[in-house]
């Protein structure tokens, strides 16, 4: 049980933001030997047959044990060990989705995801589309996607997030998490630190485009990241307390996405950079990098950009906005066709809707000039890049693109074109107008 999380389970909230939020998650267990509680919950909820989904490594790390525990409790278990793709990696792509669909007997009532972020997204998507609940058994505290509702999938080489389902129950075993590779623990912190810039980006959207904003979800996300930064030593040493706080932070952040039904609180320009790098590496048939490692590095870069806004006076901003010329739509479209492969036309359509959209308009520039004080307040709330880098360093996480093997050309291309990954207002879109 987790005091921080239990108060949210099963709740319906008529929120001041105007939305009705629902949390369908019924149980969250974060403790040593949480694995031992899965079978009891399966029986209590009245299920008799489950499909356990893992990859080779996570099956060894937790799947074998869980299978034994379930079978001892007379639960019928089928297994889907998701195969690696041609790159020797498990990806949340068309191939993995079809494999899971083929591996799941029609009589199976529940899918159990035993793995990290990728495994969960394959399972949450297939569970949603086959109308089966899913349980989450994280094998590493590497992402905030366990409790969330969207499935970022690779579809025709493009990273797109599809609404799916949140888990019915989550069993996070502290002993298992502490044994995860150190890089995955650092990645979990990287994904969490990204919330500082994603929240700032969401605030920009609120102030400059009147975008829907939920104080509750934003506050929850901020509390989630502060929970992690308050326990950095413990996280670095992988103590039970450290793994508990990191996992609570990751799950709270996932809950905040679940509340609003999308990833806006948790994913801004730092994620768009990460997604862009991921897609290019995939196109170039290079090995994938951990999501949270990329997000952590990109967060430092986006914090540098927020820091640069602090010293621009309102008069300077107005002059720069008046003089700036965004690249023509034709030039943007040409680069998108070069970078986004088979999905390029869809990306163009989303970014440049037939009604013209607002992202590069003169009206938006005027709005930015008139709200410059608000923009600066948002920029001031983002921790300094040096602070973010120091937090990442505390858990031995990478802080700069070269540590990831992301070369300067790719960094430059992403700073220009990653903003097209999602049609969301971010600091990258703001800087394009300045
Ligand atoms: N739904 C959402 O809201 C969110 C989704 N995500 C998504 O999550 C994905 C990234 O997930 P992430 O967790 O970083 O990485 P992966 O799930 O891709 O995991 C990377 C590899 O870690 C290995 N692994 C996992 N657990 C263990 C363990 N206990 N011991 C040893 N190895 C282990 C496995 O290795 P091997 O492959 O060799 O078996 C696994 O494939 C991205 O696609 C991202 O977009 C991220 C955040 C939020
Ligand atoms: O990774 C996420 C949050 O950490 C979600 O990202 P998306 O914006 O791609 O859904």
């Amino acid at each position: 049980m987790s005091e921080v999380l239990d108060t949210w389970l099963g709740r319906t909230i008529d929120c001041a933001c105007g939305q009705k939020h629902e949390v369908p998650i019924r149980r969250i267990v974060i403790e040593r030997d949480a694995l031992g509680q899965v079978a009891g919950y399966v029986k209590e909820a009245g299920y008799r047959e489950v499909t356990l989904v893992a990859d080779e490594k996570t099956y060894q790390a937790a799947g074998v044990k869980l299978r034994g525990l379930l079978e001892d409790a007379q639960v019928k278990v089928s297994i889907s060990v998701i195969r690696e793709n041609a790159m020797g990696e498990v990806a949340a792509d068309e191939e993995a989705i079809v494999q899971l669909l083929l591996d799941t007997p029609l009589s199976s009532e529940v899918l159990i995801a035993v793995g990290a972020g990728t495994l969960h997204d394959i399972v949450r998507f297939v569970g949603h589309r086959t109308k089966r609940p899913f349980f989450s058994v994280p094998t590493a505290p590497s992402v905030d996607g366990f409790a969330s509702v969207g499935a970022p999938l690779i579809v025709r080489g493009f990273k797109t997030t599809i609404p799916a389902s949140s888990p019915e129950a989550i069993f996070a075993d502290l002993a298992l998490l502490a044994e995860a590779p150190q890089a995955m623990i650092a990645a979990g912190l990287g994904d969490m630190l990204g919330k500082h810039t994603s929240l700032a980006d969401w605030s920009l959207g609120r102030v400059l485009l009147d975008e829907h904003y939920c104080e509750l979800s934003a506050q929850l996300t901020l509390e989630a990241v502060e929970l992690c930064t308050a326990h950095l030593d413990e996280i670095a040493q992988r103590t039970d307390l450290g793994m508990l706080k990191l996992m609570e932070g990751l799950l709270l952040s996932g809950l905040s996405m679940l509340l609003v039904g999308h990833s806006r609180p948790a994913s801004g320009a730092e994620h768009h950079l990460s997604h862009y790098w991921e897609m290019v590496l995939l196109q170039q048939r290079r090995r994938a990098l951990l999501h949270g490692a990329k997000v952590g590095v990109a967060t430092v870069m986006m914090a540098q950009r927020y820091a640069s806004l602090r010293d621009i006076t309102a008069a300077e901003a107005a002059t720069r906005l008046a003089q700036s010329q965004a690249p023509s739509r034709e030039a943007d479209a040409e680069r998108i066709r070069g970078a986004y492969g088979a999905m390029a036309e869809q990306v163009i359509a989303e970014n440049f809707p037939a009604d013209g959209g607002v992202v590069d308009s003169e009206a938006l520039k005027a709005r930015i000039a008139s709200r410059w004080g608000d923009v600066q307040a948002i920029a001031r709330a983002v921790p300094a890049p040096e602070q973010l880098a120091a937090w990442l360093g505390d858990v031995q996480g990478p802080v700069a693109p070269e540590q990831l093997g992301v070369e300067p050309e790719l960094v430059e291309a992403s700073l220009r074109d990653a903003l097209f990954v999602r049609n969301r207002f971010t600091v990258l879109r703001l800087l394009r107008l300045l």
Side-chain angles (χ1 to χ4, degrees):
M1 304 294 142
S2 157
E3 275 175 34
V4 180
L5 287 152
D6 280 357
T7 64
W8 295 96
L9 301 186
R11 274 180 67 184
T12 299
I13 302 157
D14 274 312
C15 186
C17 79
Q19 280 186 350
K20 190 173 186 165
H21 304 312
E22 304 208 22
V23 182
I25 303 175
R26 285 161 60 177
R27 174 126 352 137
I28 297 181
V29 180
I30 317 179
E31 54 192 56
R32 269 188 177 261
D33 201 33
L35 269 190
Q37 299 196 33
V38 181
Y41 179 83
V42 169
K43 302 291 270 188
E44 187 187 319
Y47 299 120
R48 285 160 312 209
E49 182 172 347
V50 304
T51 299
L52 199 154
V53 192
D55 66 27
E56 284 289 353
K57 265 195 197 135
T58 61
Y59 187 62
Q60 292 311 323
V64 175
K65 181 173 175 190
L66 183 57
R67 178 187 193 167
L69 290 165
L70 287 163
E71 287 177 343
D72 287 351
Q74 314 304 321
V75 177
K76 191 170 176 193
V77 184
S78 57
I79 306 287
S80 176
V81 177
I82 303 294
R83 283 187 289 275
E84 292 176 346
N85 59 20
M87 292 293 300
E89 290 166 351
V90 172
D93 59 9
E94 296 94 334
E95 210 179 314
I97 288 164
V98 172
Q99 188 198 328
L100 180 52
L101 284 169
L102 292 170
D103 285 351
T104 307
L106 286 175
S107 51
S108 176
E109 296 163 301
V110 182
L111 303 179
I112 305 186
V114 181
T118 299
L119 240 302
H120 276 73
D121 290 332
I122 298 166
V123 170
R124 89 173 65 249
F125 178 76
V126 171
H128 182 253
R129 293 306 156 101
T130 62
K131 297 193 167 44
R132 286 185 178 86
F134 91 92
F135 298 172
S136 158
V137 178
T139 55
S142 51
V143 290
D144 63 345
F146 305 116
S148 90
V149 68
L153 303 177
I154 301 277
V155 181
R156 289 190 214 98
F158 182 71
K159 183 93 170 173
T160 183
T161 296
I162 300 183
S165 16
S166 56
E168 176 176 319
I170 302 173
F171 301 90
D173 193 312
L174 294 176
L176 182 60
L177 299 181
E179 281 166 21
Q182 190 279 329
M184 298 192 85
I185 294 172
L189 185 76
D191 203 18
M192 286 312 295
L193 293 181
K195 310 314 163 201
H196 282 297
T197 47
S198 62
L199 286 173
D201 285 347
W202 196 13
S203 294
L204 287 181
R206 174 195 205 181
V207 163
L208 301 176
L209 294 173
D210 296 325
E211 190 181 328
H212 178 262
Y213 185 86
C214 173
E215 294 280 2
L216 178 64
S217 164
Q219 191 51 38
L220 199 62
T221 308
L222 191 61
E223 279 171 27
V225 58
E226 286 174 354
L227 211 53
C228 298
T229 44
H231 294 87
L232 280 179
D233 283 350
E234 300 279 346
I235 293 171
Q237 288 164 31
R238 302 154 180 254
T239 64
D240 277 6
L241 182 64
M243 293 303 97
L244 172 70
K245 292 299 157 189
L246 178 55
M247 204 53 178
E248 282 180 343
L250 292 165
L251 295 184
L252 274 181
S253 174
L255 261 177
S256 85
M257 290 190 259
L258 175 57
L259 289 183
V260 289
H262 52 76
S263 61
R264 187 56 154 139
S267 163
E270 72 299 317
H271 273 71
H272 303 164
L273 251 71
S274 163
H275 291 347
Y276 190 91
W277 298 344
E278 179 175 338
M279 290 188 295
V280 171
L281 262 52
L282 194 72
Q283 283 167 12
Q284 297 177 349
R285 306 185 68 74
R286 287 161 63 186
R287 278 202 77 81
L289 300 165
L290 281 175
H291 168 84
K294 292 183 296 236
V295 170
V297 167
T299 300
V300 176
M301 291 167 61
M302 293 305 99
Q304 285 161 350
R305 276 138 191 91
Y306 272 110
S308 74
L309 294 176
R310 295 181 197 166
D311 299 329
I312 302 176
T313 64
E316 278 165 7
T319 309
R320 283 170 64 166
L321 286 162
Q323 289 170 351
S324 79
Q325 289 265 311
S328 72
R329 292 192 172 192
E330 289 69 34
D332 281 338
E334 204 176 306
R335 287 198 323 283
I336 291 173
R337 286 195 186 95
Y340 287 83
M343 296 298 279
E345 296 310 320
Q346 184 179 324
V347 175
I348 292 169
E350 276 172 16
N351 279 277
F352 305 114
D355 65 5
V358 290
V359 287
D360 288 340
S361 72
E362 292 305 314
L364 178 56
K365 287 186 185 178
R367 183 85 182 255
I368 296 170
S370 71
R371 297 282 174 95
W372 192 249
D374 292 329
V375 169
Q376 283 198 309
I378 292 166
R380 276 196 296 273
V382 176
E386 297 79 14
Q387 174 65 82
L388 289 159
W391 282 330
L392 284 169
D394 285 346
V395 295
Q396 297 160 51
V399 297
E402 56 271 22
Q403 288 172 280
L404 295 173
V406 174
E407 57 278 3
E409 299 73 31
L410 179 50
V411 171
E412 195 186 323
S414 62
L415 287 171
R416 195 181 52 228
D417 291 336
L419 55 87
F420 299 120
V421 171
R422 301 273 185 275
N423 193 5
R424 282 181 181 166
F425 198 82
T426 65
V427 68
L428 284 182
R429 288 191 186 266
L430 175 66
L431 287 168
R432 181 175 144 109
L433 294 171
L434 281 171

